[in-house]
Amino acid sequence: MGTITNDTKSVQLMIQQNKKKKNVRKTTESLIPTFLLICAVISVLTTIGIFFTLLRESITFFTEVSFAEFFLSAHWSPWTGNFGILSLIAGTLLITFIAICVALPLGFASAVYLSEYATEKTRKVIKPVLEVLAGIPTVVYGFFALTFVTPILQSLIPGLLVFNALSAGIVVGIMIVPMIASLSEDAMSAVPNSLREGALAMGATKLETTFRVVVPAALSGIVASVVLGVSRAIGETMIVTIAAGASPNLTFNPLESIQTLTSFIVQGATGDTSFGSTIYYSIYAVGMTLFVFTFAMNLLSQYIVRKFKEDY
Amino acid sequence: MASKEAASTSKRIKGRVTLNKGLKYLFLLATLVGLVFLALLIYRVLSQGIGYLNFDFLTNFPAPFPEEAGFLAGIMGSVFLMLLVAPIAIILGVSTALYLEEYAAKNRFTRFIQVNVQNLAGVPSIVFGLLGLTFFVYLFGLGYTLIAGALTMSLLILPVIVVASQEAIRSVPNELREASTGMGASKWQTIWTIVLPAAVPGILTGSILALSRAIGETAPLIVVGAATTIYAIPDSLLANYTAMPIQIFSWIVRPQPEWQFVAGAGIIVLLVILLAMNAIAVWIRNKFQHRY
């Protein structure tokens, strides 16, 4: 008898306790999505923070320096009060141009080789090794450009300055090779084999299949990867800071020393820049310019992928 | 007549086949350029730095003479940075990914967050430095401190972790979720006991790769004021700090050539640590990741 009542009691108790537990769990579980949402919103806040930061400090900058001087003058020497960003933009474009001249042929050819010619085994070895290149810190690339690439170029091109756009641009190009290779290879691998087989059955060589069938089909992915590469080259900082010099020049001569948008930001942030000075605000105006350039490139790349993506 | 035609056709075919073969080797050559470059880079760094790499280098603080210069402040600075960045970035990143994959309705707001994360991944790292400088250094009044640097770095690698975690969570098959729910588990129980454990290898792999990127990042730390000469290991969140790439950078830009060797020694340490982290990431991926 006693045991039975005990049991019924304990069962009732258990049910009650279980209910209580469930209620507690229910309330905690209803809080979890809210917590996760808050975390997700932080990434949005970061973007808003970037916009807000760049915009607010740039506006302060433009109360001190006119729009016209900033965008139309090529004389950039903030320590003497000259803020003409054209020479920094020219430096950035020069580096980007050299980098793409290096990265596009190398990256594209690597992608073609890995996707169309290499055996599965070779690809499995080469691809990860190539990706190691992408994981090397840019400060190391800068070191390599300054202490290895520049001396070699100097022995080939007499009169080349120690700090020059050519050396920095080449190394930036090498840095983005794995990105272009990897993304283009993904795009080309996504082209279904039936298309290749069709071309081969018609008597086309592998080369003809690649360039008349696979590349056109994967073109949007390839173009998008190049646009992303351009964006990376524009935003690259340490290689150009170390190897390209700090002389804002409106020049498209790769043998000269130049300064880019990013390397000025580094210089401005490490120099004797006091908070609230015009130079301090100029860092943000330059940052804003850089952000607009890279943001446009990233949007363009996403647009290309979305717009021209072919589904098989 | 016919044999002439046949001869010219076979000639043409031969030409096409030769072209195919020739260009194949050209493509291979181009692929090898990247690899040769990597080999040269590693050889160069080793040959420059190995002479200066010794026990004292690892345990000394910076010094005015290259022979006595040490890397301890940089190593410990990077370690402490990562001890802060890892939990902040991983918790925020995985939570964001869980929200997007498991809870979010497929509406415009979700799509907005998703696009926003993708765009954030393409923002140059130095711009994150400017964000950190404004918010953490000045607005929150943290100054040039370890925590300001860590928060900046966390936001920088957040998008990478979100994307990697999303992929890992998405690859957990729905049957597992349905089975768990069918057994009476609640949504969170399913996520916590079924989905997350299955996704952990992917999340970890992505996080380690993101962290190894953060260890090598220089530009944003320069902007948020990591110092180049520090004679102590940071002892609080509000301590001044330095990091490995910052110290390497400060050595590279010195005009005396001996400092290049010190920089080389620092780069060897940095690359060994990065290589180890990458190896761990690859090991986790191969060991634990399986397809269902």
Side-chain angles (χ1 to χ4, degrees):
Chain A
M1 257 321 245
T3 47
I4 288 170
T5 40
N6 263 348
D7 271 1
T8 40
K9 235 186 195 171
S10 67
V11 166
Q12 280 174 340
L13 215 70
M14 274 165 70
I15 291 173
Q16 262 175 0
Q17 277 173 342
N18 214 6
K19 259 189 185 161
K20 234 188 232 165
K21 239 197 232 160
K22 257 195 180 155
N23 280 338
V24 173
R25 197 191 298 144
K26 248 187 190 163
T27 38
T28 43
E29 282 207 14
S30 68
L31 291 176
I32 284 168
T34 321
F35 171 76
L36 297 181
L37 176 63
I38 290 170
C39 290
V41 164
I42 284 182
S43 78
V44 177
L45 289 181
T46 307
T47 310
I48 295 173
I50 288 174
F51 266 118
F52 173 78
T53 304
L54 295 177
L55 205 63
R56 197 187 69 166
E57 313 290 47
S58 296
I59 287 172
T60 317
F61 174 78
F62 284 119
T63 60
E64 292 168 28
V65 174
S66 76
F67 240 68
E69 192 201 332
F70 189 68
F71 287 113
L72 296 177
S73 157
H75 187 195
W76 183 270
S77 61
W79 278 270
T80 57
N82 289 295
F83 297 93
I85 202 173
L86 283 188
S87 45
L88 294 185
I89 292 180
T92 305
L93 292 182
L94 180 59
I95 292 283
T96 307
F97 178 73
I98 300 170
I100 287 302
C101 285
V102 171
L104 179 58
L106 288 182
F108 177 69
S110 305
V112 168
Y113 180 75
L114 290 176
S115 153
E116 303 302 317
Y117 286 95
T119 59
E120 187 61 22
K121 236 180 173 175
T122 328
R123 183 163 61 162
K124 270 198 169 155
V125 176
I126 291 184
K127 212 179 172 190
V129 178
L130 208 57
E131 272 161 6
V132 172
L133 269 180
I136 287 184
T138 51
V139 71
V140 178
Y141 276 115
F143 172 82
F144 190 68
L146 182 66
T147 67
F148 187 72
V149 178
T150 299
I152 288 180
L153 290 176
Q154 274 178 323
S155 68
L156 296 174
I157 310 167
L160 184 68
L161 299 170
V162 174
F163 299 107
N164 63 81
L166 183 62
S167 170
I170 290 173
V171 176
V172 172
I174 297 284
M175 181 200 78
I176 51 182
V177 162
M179 190 176 127
I180 293 183
S182 178
L183 292 177
S184 300
E185 203 245 0
D186 287 346
M188 288 163 71
S189 298
V191 176
N193 260 334
S194 54
L195 290 185
R196 284 187 193 88
E197 283 154 8
L200 290 172
M202 304 267 286
T205 64
K206 207 150 208 188
L207 185 72
E208 289 155 356
T209 310
T210 305
F211 279 89
R212 303 231 176 125
V213 177
V214 179
V215 170
L219 199 62
S220 70
I222 296 170
V223 172
S225 81
V226 175
V227 175
L228 267 189
V230 169
S231 168
R232 273 288 280 283
I234 293 175
E236 167 33 50
T237 309
M238 295 319 293
I239 301 173
V240 288
T241 302
I242 293 169
S247 348
N249 274 328
L250 184 72
T251 177
F252 288 101
N253 178 359
L255 307 181
E256 281 188 45
S257 171
I258 50 110
Q259 187 165 40
T260 64
L261 297 166
T262 52
S263 63
F264 168 70
I265 297 176
V266 169
Q267 193 192 12
T270 47
D272 310 311
T273 314
S274 48
F275 175 76
S277 63
T278 312
I279 296 178
Y280 171 81
Y281 290 118
S282 79
I283 299 175
Y284 289 90
V286 172
M288 185 72 174
T289 314
L290 171 70
F291 180 75
V292 168
F293 269 97
T294 52
F295 192 67
M297 288 291 162
N298 294 335
L299 286 186
L300 180 65
S301 160
Q302 283 169 26
Y303 173 79
I304 292 172
V305 168
R306 218 175 313 140
K307 181 87 182 174
F308 300 103
K309 194 175 177 189
E310 301 202 27
D311 284 317
Y312 300 102
Chain B
M1 199 66 180
S3 71
K4 223 179 185 180
E5 220 167 71
S8 90
T9 309
S10 84
K11 214 175 176 184
R12 225 178 38 223
I13 290 178
K14 246 184 204 159
R16 286 166 55 206
V17 171
T18 324
L19 190 67
N20 177 40
K21 237 186 198 156
L23 280 184
K24 174 186 170 178
Y25 289 113
L26 192 69
F27 295 142
L28 175 63
L29 206 69
T31 313
L32 291 180
V33 169
L35 305 186
V36 168
F37 197 93
L38 180 66
L40 273 176
L41 189 145
I42 289 170
Y43 168 76
R44 180 69 179 170
V45 166
L46 279 178
S47 66
Q48 288 238 307
I50 205 87
Y52 275 75
L53 188 66
N54 51 39
F55 189 69
D56 285 344
F57 180 73
L58 297 177
T59 53
N60 279 357
F61 285 112
F65 305 106
E67 298 80 26
E68 297 160 19
F71 207 34
L72 185 64
I75 296 172
M76 292 315 288
S78 284
V79 167
F80 282 115
L81 265 179
M82 287 313 118
L83 285 179
L84 290 169
V85 169
I88 297 172
I90 292 176
I91 289 174
L92 281 180
V94 174
S95 301
T96 304
L98 275 181
Y99 175 77
L100 288 174
E101 290 300 317
E102 300 287 335
Y103 284 100
K106 293 252 174 292
N107 55 22
R108 283 172 71 182
F109 180 65
T110 311
R111 174 137 181 76
F112 172 67
I113 297 182
Q114 187 72 59
V115 170
N116 174 63
V117 168
Q118 275 167 13
N119 280 326
L120 217 47
V123 173
S125 62
I126 195 157
V127 173
F128 279 91
L130 292 176
L131 173 78
L133 182 67
T134 314
F135 276 88
F136 304 133
V137 174
Y138 288 124
L139 200 66
F140 298 171
L142 295 172
Y144 295 149
T145 56
L146 185 64
I147 184 71
L151 290 172
T152 307
M153 278 298 188
S154 304
L155 293 183
L156 174 69
I157 62 168
L158 184 60
V160 186
I161 296 185
V162 172
V163 172
S165 306
Q166 272 188 290
E167 261 168 40
I169 292 167
R170 212 177 300 142
S171 73
V172 178
N174 256 331
E175 286 84 354
L176 290 185
R177 291 186 186 83
E178 282 156 11
S180 167
T181 314
M183 303 265 287
S186 66
K187 180 147 195 166
W188 179 248
Q189 277 178 321
T190 303
I191 291 171
W192 188 249
T193 56
I194 304 294
V195 177
L196 267 185
V200 153
I203 292 173
L204 264 185
T205 310
S207 302
I208 293 173
L209 291 180
L211 282 177
S212 72
R213 186 180 155 204
I215 284 187
E217 272 290 352
T218 322
L221 282 187
I222 290 181
V223 177
V224 294
T228 49
T229 31
I230 288 282
Y231 297 98
I233 291 167
D235 54 359
S236 79
L237 293 181
L238 297 176
N240 290 329
Y241 67 104
T242 187
M244 286 188 281
I246 301 285
Q247 281 218 293
I248 291 167
F249 174 59
S250 78
W251 288 328
I252 292 175
V253 294
R254 287 182 199 191
Q256 301 89 332
E258 299 84 48
W259 288 104
Q260 305 297 340
F261 297 105
V262 184
I267 289 174
I268 294 176
V269 176
L270 179 61
L271 287 184
V272 166
I273 291 175
L274 288 182
L275 206 65
M277 289 177 75
N278 278 286
I280 292 172
V282 170
W283 181 75
I284 291 177
R285 187 167 58 195
N286 292 345
K287 173 112 182 159
F288 296 104
Q289 217 162 36
H290 49 106
R291 289 178 188 197
Y292 295 93

